[in-house]
Amino acid sequence: MRVLITGGAGFLGSHLCDRFIAEGHSVIAMDNLITGNTRNIAHLAGNTNFHFVRHDVTNYIYIAGPIDAVLHFASPASPIDYLKLPIQTLKVGALGTHNALGLALHKGAKFLLASTSEIYGDPLEHPQKETYPGNVDPIGPRGVYDEAKRFAEAITMAYHRVHGVDTRIVRIFNTYGPRMRLADGRVVPNFIAQALRGEPLTVYGDGSQTRSFQYVSDLVEGVYRLLMSDYNDPVNIGNPDEMTILEFAQVVNEVTGSQAGIIYKDERIKGDPQTRQPDISRARAVLNWEPKVKLRQGLEPTIAYFREVV
Ligand code: NAD
Ligand code: UDP
């Protein structure tokens, strides 16, 4: 296949480039580098199956020649990023998704949208199944991301129903691993960087809010299987191993050997979801997929990566 990966110089996009190249496909990574970095794909430079195009996908996307699949991963993803870039976030979810779908339609390509657990907002159903429509405040600070992704899902299904584009929607739950940006503000890089610097970990609120952390290789496997399947409805891909942020802080201090402890800070962003855990029965049934990497296993290479960049 000849595959276009938007957001290909980002954290997840770059790991997907690696996977598709390893499977023998040809990859075009497209990115405007707003939150990504060519360092993430530098090791692919010179590979004849890999090309990088610097382009903002909110503008018309032109690619010469055939394309078999479009994986649309371009979007700021960290809450700190999308608070700083609210309009770019809305535009890439809306205009960028429209352009990427238009390209898929024109090329007769499959289309896969990177959606998110954030479409469930601060969920009133727990764990979250794909049938749960969510609890999102459209005008809250997180609304720019949540609503952009909800629009992206809606237009993806519209292109499927109206134009017959062969679409996929993956709802990704908190994923971590090497190549996350040190200062992207998400809890995994924040805590690891703080621990490696011997600083206390900043827990926002009382730390009782929960998340379920998935290692990047599990996500990549789930996305690959979903693309190769014929399933058009959304699929949660995440690790159901749920814990409080306070428990997560304790694990990070333990595995890094940091003695600096924890400090509590005010809730960072209004509307911080209080619970989050994927129900992955659909992924199990449709893709025969489930996560394999346990938290402490996945933290090892992640911490090793951050040791290099701190
Ligand atoms: P990231 O910030 O590392 O990657 C996003 C990439 O998109 C960056 O390289 C950025 O430069 C690029 N980009 C943004 N706007 C663009 C535009 N207009 N044109 C071209 N490129 C643009 O974040 P990530 O964690 O790798 O997230 C990738 C995708 O996965 C995003 O769509 C995100 O919403 C989704 N996602 C990620 C997670 C997670 O836990 N990492 C969870 C849910 C959903
Ligand atoms: N968080 C925290 N300290 C930090 C960064 C994040 O306590 O230094 C909390 C944050 O308030 C949220 C959770 O960790 O409850 C996950 O935040 P992240 O930014 O990683 O992603 P989210 O799941 O909120 O999109």
Side-chain angles (χ1 to χ4, degrees), residues 187-210:
V187 69
V188 174
N190 265 17
F191 281 4
I192 294 178
Q194 289 162 346
L196 294 178
R197 292 181 180 129
E199 297 167 0
L201 310 194
T202 52
V203 169
Y204 300 144
D206 63 5
S208 64
Q209 69 273 33
T210 68

Side-chain angles (χ1 to χ4, degrees), residues 117-138:
S117 53
E118 277 283 329
I119 69 118
Y120 302 122
D122 191 3
L124 305 176
E125 174 180 300
H126 193 75
Q128 294 81 53
K129 285 196 183 70
E130 290 87 348
T131 46
Y132 176 54
N135 175 37
V136 171
D137 175 2

